[in-house]
Amino acid sequence: MKIEASYTITAADLERRSIVGRLVPFGVIGNTSAGPTRFAAGSVALPEPLDRVKLLKDHQPDSPLGYLEEAWQDESGLYGRFRVPETPAGDLALLE
C-alpha cells in the first residue's frame, strides 16, 4: 500500500546539503491519503537501496528535491536524512 503523508522537518543543513526529519511517527494517529493511520515500531520496511526513497515537495513525484541517505528508528518513530543535490529547487528547499 502506498500512503502519502506530510511531516515536519527537524533540521536542514545548507553546507552539508541535507534535510533530516521524522518520516513516520509511531503510535500516533495521523491523516494520510488512506485516511487515519497509526504505525507501530518496526512496521515500516524501506526499500534497498535507500536512495529509491524520494524527498518530495507537495507530493510531486516527477521533481524530487532529494534522496534518502540514511534511516533509523527509536521508540518515537522512523527518521531519515535526505541528500539534496545542488539545483535551484534543492537550494530553495534547504533555505525554506
Side-chain angles (χ1 to χ4, degrees):
M1 168 180 20
K2 178 181 176 184
I3 296 177
E4 295 179 354
S6 299
Y7 300 101
T8 303
I9 294 171
T10 304
D13 187 328
L14 186 57
E15 218 172 271
R16 292 186 178 141
R17 303 207 57 85
S18 65
I19 294 177
V20 177
R22 185 168 58 180
L23 308 177
V24 179
F26 294 147
V28 177
I29 295 176
N31 296 315
T32 70
S33 59
T37 305
R38 180 184 351 212
F39 292 92
S43 66
V44 179
L46 293 172
E48 290 292 335
L50 285 179
D51 65 0
R52 290 180 51 204
V53 178
K54 299 176 185 177
L55 175 63
L56 304 178
K57 181 177 181 179
D58 300 325
H59 302 290
Q60 297 178 11
D62 295 335
S63 52
L65 298 174
Y67 299 90
L68 188 61
E69 278 192 317
E70 179 182 14
W72 64 95
Q73 60 181 312
D74 63 20
E75 64 280 347
S76 67
L78 173 65
Y79 294 82
R81 181 172 49 84
F82 290 84
R83 175 86 174 127
V84 180
E86 287 189 44
T87 64
D91 293 345
L92 185 58
L94 288 166
L95 291 173
E96 289 179 344

